[in-house]
Amino acid sequence: MEREMFQVLKADRRDVLAVRFAGSLGKVDLDRFTAWLERETEEQPDGSLLIVIDDFDGYRSFQAAIADLKADLRFKDRFTKIAVVGDAERERVMTALADPFSKASLRYYPEEQQGAALAWLRS
């Protein structure tokens, strides 16, 4: 059975949104993520976002990769801070590469520092 790629995590503050990505990402996952982000950012603009990436295996299709890029471009200016927590060098590199293209301040944290990532988002 394939595990769910996109999962909303419970956050302790309304202005901090949190999601988890695991496994391989399909277009359906991206569509659900985009719809959720649209609803949440309408209610709470200029909040913070925690993205936890757990064992990312890549995209299931080219359409999924394009949907991810479109979501990145669509929501890039709706947050003041974005923390990416992961366990692979590619997540650190992708966070650093995306930083100049977003009004949000982006930071990468290794998975064992998820608490530090949340503390930074709350500050």
Side-chain angles (χ1 to χ4, degrees), residues 64-75:
I66 294 300
D68 191 17
L69 178 61
K70 286 181 180 178
D72 290 347
L73 294 172
R74 181 174 175 186
F75 295 101

Side-chain angles (χ1 to χ4, degrees), residues 27-79:
K27 186 166 182 326
V28 171
D29 300 306
L30 257 300
D31 291 345
R32 285 183 47 239
F33 174 61
T34 301
W36 174 78
L37 264 185
E38 187 64 47
R39 283 190 309 273
E40 294 297 321
T41 58
E42 273 182 20
E43 295 174 19
Q44 182 64 47
D46 296 325
S48 298
L49 177 64
L50 172 68
I51 301 172
V52 178
I53 301 173
D54 184 20
D55 294 324
F56 182 62
D57 295 330
Y59 299 100
R60 291 187 206 136
S61 67
F62 179 71
Q63 289 82 9
I66 294 300
D68 191 17
L69 178 61
K70 286 181 180 178
D72 290 347
L73 294 172
R74 181 174 175 186
F75 295 101
K76 70 180 179 65
D77 293 332
R78 294 200 188 178
F79 297 98

Side-chain angles (χ1 to χ4, degrees), residues 50-53 82-88 92 107-122:
L50 172 68
I51 301 172
V52 178
I53 301 173
I82 300 173
V84 178
V85 174
D87 60 358
R92 186 193 66 75
R107 288 191 186 174
Y108 169 80
Y109 292 85
E111 62 185 340
E112 65 272 6
Q113 293 182 9
Q114 185 171 334
L118 276 169
W120 175 68
L121 291 173
R122 294 175 187 135

